[in-house]
Amino acid sequence: MANVTDLQTKYSKLAQEYSKLRAQNQVLKKAVVDEQASSASLKEQLKQRDQSLRKQEQEMDSLSFRNQQLAKRVELLQEELAASEAKGKKGKTKGDSPSQHGQQTQSVFDEDLQKKIEENERLHIQFYEADEQHKRQEAELRAQLDELEKDSEQHQAVVDGLTTKYMATIERLQSDKARLEVKAQTLEREAKECRMRTDECQQQLRQCQSELNKQVKQSSSVIQEKVPFNDTSEYHLNKNYLQFSLWIQLKARDVAGQALSFIQDLIAALLNFHSYTEQRVHIYPRDSSIEPISPLNQKFSQYLHENAAYVRPLEDSFLQLHQSITEDTVTVLETVVKLKSFADNFCSYTHFLQKILPYHLEEECEASLCTAALTVKNQELQTDMKRVTSVFEKLQNYINLLALPSVQQDAMPLSSTSAVFTQLAACLHSLHDAIKEMSKHYNQKAGLEKELPTITQKLSTTTECLLGSLGSLTSSTGKIATFFSNNLDFFTSSGYSPRGSTVTLNPLQAETMLANKKKAAAYIHAIKKPRPQSVPHREALSNRRILTSSTESREGLTQQVQQSQEKIARLEQEKEHWLLEAQLGKVRLEKENQRIGDLEAQLAAALGGSPNSQPAATSTLAQSHEEAEAEPKAAVKETTLCTSLVGDEESREQLIKTHYMTRVGELTTQLQISDSKSVHFHSECRALAKRLAIAEKSRETLSEEVKMANQNITRLQDELTTTKRSYEDQLSMMSDHLCSMNETLTKQREEIDTLKLGNKGNAKKNKGR
């Protein structure tokens, strides 16, 4: 088996190397293809440059031909010039008009010649520059092409080497694969045999488990009922101990009081907002004191007039919730029943917001005095109101989820409660942002309305009040969001739930906790009375360990007894089988003995009847004598053959029987040894598993204690640093104060000395007078 595992590991390593090399081969192939593509593109560029070079050479040829023509033209012109000069010398005696005409012709020819010379020079320069540039580009491209060809040759060499290497690796892996497949087949056969054995063992185990489940249940019930209570003398050893915490109650009442003050501010801001919105509906776009408002605004005003019926119950229900949290109660979500009424009132207010949402600024957008900018602002405010309403709906859902455990037990685990509180904090921040955005847009809208010529003083006053209510609403929502985020750790903490447990506290446990608190208070008040004896925690834990180990040993012994009884029953069945086989052998032996007796009797009768026969003819006597001699010989042979066969069969059966009996005994002893070892190992594994669970629990408790200790250390260090800083600040202040006092004292002394000197001088002057 070790060789097989080694081969499997080698095979897996080779497969990994093969996959890596294959990936590298793919990358190299891709690089070679890319280089080939780049070389092809460079060759194409080279072809294009060659074509451009040929084109430029053709242009050069045409330019040189043109240059030759121009040179010939210049020679002709020079000859004509010389001829004209000669004619001019001959015709000097002629009038002035022909000489002037010749000078003009000469100047025209000179200008044409100068232009052709300049053009020829420019073309020569362009041709030279183009030729140099082409040669330079051709050299660069040839150098790049050489480099790319070298790279492609290197890549091709690497690819060929890797291909040969991979082929050898593939062949080796295939041979290893074939060998491993053969071994895998043998292992599969062994696994099938092992599965058959495990099936048999599982059947036996099911039978044992079905019989032992009852005993386990009885033992567990006895352990749960008879184990003594956990003592609080050593608090770190208690795990599932529920303890009443006065700090949690005081903290919960303080938090509820702060939340009540913030909610009261929010309620007042909401009432003001809805009331001023109603006043604005009666003023703008139609003043109700001058003309009746539209039916749409009448309905909107009617709905807004009912806002107190939806807003006031929020404050009342939360006040009742705050009053229900006292020092003598257990404050968890499962026991706070008043939270359900607050959630219902919040739900009704959310429905009220949904009801008035379609009427907001609907009439103002259709008014004739509404400009395009005001229409845009009104649309933005409508969007803000929809956002605020949707945030209130989310808050309603989260508050309903928090109120659900007080109505239905085990409705929400502790992790889900923490998630709901976190989402509620985020939703409160979203509400603050939405109301802040709405207040900003309302301020912009009020600024645009002030620019209108038809604005009245009443409308401007109402708008200012509405903006003030929006400001207070923004500040109150911001305070609530900040307060909730600051106390989020307290809301998401486990509170009264047992340490290391994810199950929340139910009302029955809360009542039990309060009853235990009352008993403890009565026990403390009656301290002078004789107290009942309590079991120390260490002794209780040791008794529990002894009981657990004895239960485990009893379970192991019960399993051994059960297995021994099954073995005895199986051996009894085998014994009965072999007894039947022995009886059948006896019957066969009796039949063979009877047959041998019959044969012996026949043989004796045949031997006794031959001399009593009457003599006959001589030939007849001789013949009968020969037959008689032949018959006894045949009978003797048959008898000896039968006896030998019977003896061989008996010995064979005896040998087979002894062989199988010894084999059965050996297998029985081996099975008993293996069963006892398996039972022993099973009990040891169970004991180790329980010890491991206990160690894990103790490790968790110790880690929690270490965390608490680290937190205490950090807290004390922070306190130490703060006190140190405060003392240093005080010392610096005192030193500064002492310096200032010393300066004042020195100034006072100097003043006193000057006054004394002045008094002495005055006294001397008075005496001199």
Side-chain angles (χ1 to χ4, degrees), residues 321 324 332-341 406:
L321 175 63
S324 65
V332 290
L333 290 177
E334 287 76 8
T335 58
V336 182
V337 184
K338 299 294 182 181
L339 186 59
K340 180 62 179 174
S341 61
S406 63

Side-chain angles (χ1 to χ4, degrees), residues 241 244 511-527 531-532:
Y241 184 77
F244 181 81
E511 292 178 1
T512 306
M513 187 189 297
L514 291 175
N516 290 332
K517 175 180 175 293
K518 292 179 181 178
K519 287 181 181 179
Y523 183 78
I524 294 297
H525 288 304
I527 195 71
R531 293 176 291 174

Side-chain angles (χ1 to χ4, degrees), residues 2 5 107 123 217 381 409 417 442 487 594 628 686 713 726:
T5 54
S107 64
L123 290 173
K217 289 179 181 178
L381 285 171
Q409 293 184 5
T417 306
Y442 233 115
N487 293 286
Q594 187 178 0
R686 290 185 62 188
I713 288 168
S726 62

Side-chain angles (χ1 to χ4, degrees), residues 67-81:
N67 194 9
Q68 290 175 1
Q69 288 180 350
L70 291 172
K72 289 179 181 179
R73 178 68 175 166
V74 167
E75 289 177 359
L76 291 173
L77 290 171
Q78 285 177 356
E79 288 176 357
E80 290 177 359
L81 179 62

Side-chain angles (χ1 to χ4, degrees), residues 273-429:
F273 175 69
H274 293 311
S275 301
Y276 292 134
T277 305
E278 183 185 1
Q279 293 180 12
R280 181 181 171 84
V281 167
H282 285 282
I283 296 170
Y284 186 80
R286 296 179 185 178
D287 195 351
S288 60
S289 61
I290 300 171
E291 57 179 336
I293 60 177
S294 65
L296 186 67
N297 278 344
Q298 285 181 0
K299 200 167 187 179
F300 186 34
S301 174
Q302 183 181 357
Y303 287 154
L304 288 171
H305 191 68
E306 299 171 356
N307 69 89
Y310 297 99
V311 179
R312 288 294 182 188
L314 289 173
E315 183 180 359
D316 298 336
S317 58
F318 201 86
L319 180 61
Q320 293 176 3
L321 175 63
H322 174 257
Q323 291 174 356
S324 65
I325 300 172
T326 60
E327 297 179 1
D328 297 329
T329 58
V330 177
T331 305
V332 290
L333 290 177
E334 287 76 8
T335 58
V336 182
V337 184
K338 299 294 182 181
L339 186 59
K340 180 62 179 174
S341 61
F342 178 74
D344 294 337
N345 293 325
F346 197 87
C347 182
S348 63
Y349 178 68
T350 306
H351 291 318
F352 169 72
L353 290 178
Q354 292 174 354
K355 185 168 63 173
I356 66 174
L357 179 61
Y359 300 97
H360 271 285
L361 304 173
E362 188 69 26
E363 192 75 18
E364 293 186 12
C365 293
E366 297 175 357
S368 59
L369 298 175
C370 185
T371 61
L374 279 175
T375 304
V376 172
K377 292 300 172 186
N378 289 332
Q379 291 175 357
E380 289 178 354
L381 285 171
Q382 286 177 348
T383 306
D384 293 336
M385 283 302 300
K386 289 179 182 178
R387 184 183 172 191
V388 170
T389 306
S390 65
V391 173
F392 268 100
E393 290 175 359
K394 289 181 182 178
L395 287 172
Q396 171 198 341
N397 294 328
Y398 291 134
I399 293 171
N400 286 331
L401 285 173
L402 293 176
L404 187 61
S406 63
V407 181
Q408 182 181 359
Q409 293 184 5
D410 298 333
M412 191 164 47
L414 190 60
S415 59
S416 301
T417 306
S418 301
V420 170
F421 275 117
T422 306
Q423 294 295 328
L424 184 60
C427 198
L428 287 171
H429 283 287

